[in-house]
Amino acid sequence: MQVVFLFLALIGTGLATAESAGPAAPDEDPVLKAGWQPVSERGGLRLYNRAVPGAAIPAALARVRIEVPPARLFSVITDYDRFAEFVPYVVRSRVVHREDGLRRVSQHLRFPGPVADRHYVIESRDSYTSFPQEHWRVEWRLVPR
């Protein structure tokens, strides 16, 4: 089964989403309809960006087609306690609060070179709907300090 996995990082607002979606005709592509501009494509990974009002850095979106059942992909991208095992630069990721589809996750990232470590907390909301078709969605928001 093929799934389109979208990962969206809106730097200006601290919001990110990941979701599964079915294939779309070019004139119905929700990414292009939402104002995203194609930047590059390599190895099946498409990169887009768009301006964020009041932000110096544009928002970025990466899109890739992955052959995996959507439920499996959803379980991997919401397995925050194991992120350090498979997400580059994540040193620690730990769920610190859970309640009804909401999780608060503390993360520590370590980057090479002159980039400083990052410590932050995100809120993750996830949902699943089965009608009219199966749809999984995950949203991340940076928790203000």
Side-chain angles (χ1 to χ4, degrees):
M1 170 181 289
Q2 287 194 327
V3 176
V4 174
F5 171 69
L6 300 176
F7 177 74
L8 165 64
L10 293 177
I11 297 166
T13 62
L15 167 70
T17 67
E19 63 184 75
S20 62
D27 60 335
E28 298 176 5
D29 188 334
V31 171
L32 298 176
K33 280 187 163 186
W36 292 96
Q37 301 299 313
V39 175
S40 69
E41 183 172 352
R42 187 180 334 167
L45 177 68
R46 293 182 187 157
L47 300 178
Y48 304 81
N49 69 19
R50 72 177 178 195
V52 175
I57 300 172
L61 179 137
R63 183 186 223 184
V64 65
R65 186 172 300 275
I66 301 172
E67 292 192 37
V68 62
R72 178 67 183 129
L73 178 60
F74 183 78
S75 70
V76 169
I77 64 173
T78 58
D79 190 358
Y80 301 109
D81 289 327
R82 295 184 57 204
F83 265 30
E85 296 175 25
F86 59 88
V87 178
Y89 309 115
V90 174
V91 175
R92 182 185 50 78
S93 181
R94 183 171 51 95
V95 175
V96 294
H97 179 78
R98 291 177 200 271
E99 105 185 35
D100 297 331
L102 171 78
R103 285 176 261 184
R104 282 198 173 195
V105 182
S106 173
Q107 293 188 333
H108 173 193
L109 280 63
R110 179 170 293 135
F111 297 101
V115 179
D117 282 13
R118 301 285 191 260
H119 299 267
Y120 55 85
V121 175
I122 58 170
E123 279 187 349
S124 168
R125 285 198 181 276
D126 51 57
S127 63
Y128 166 78
T129 55
S130 60
F131 184 82
Q133 68 182 36
E134 291 186 312
H135 186 89
W136 290 262
R137 181 176 182 92
V138 181
E139 284 191 9
W140 300 281
R141 293 192 186 278
L142 187 61
V143 175
R145 291 183 164 221

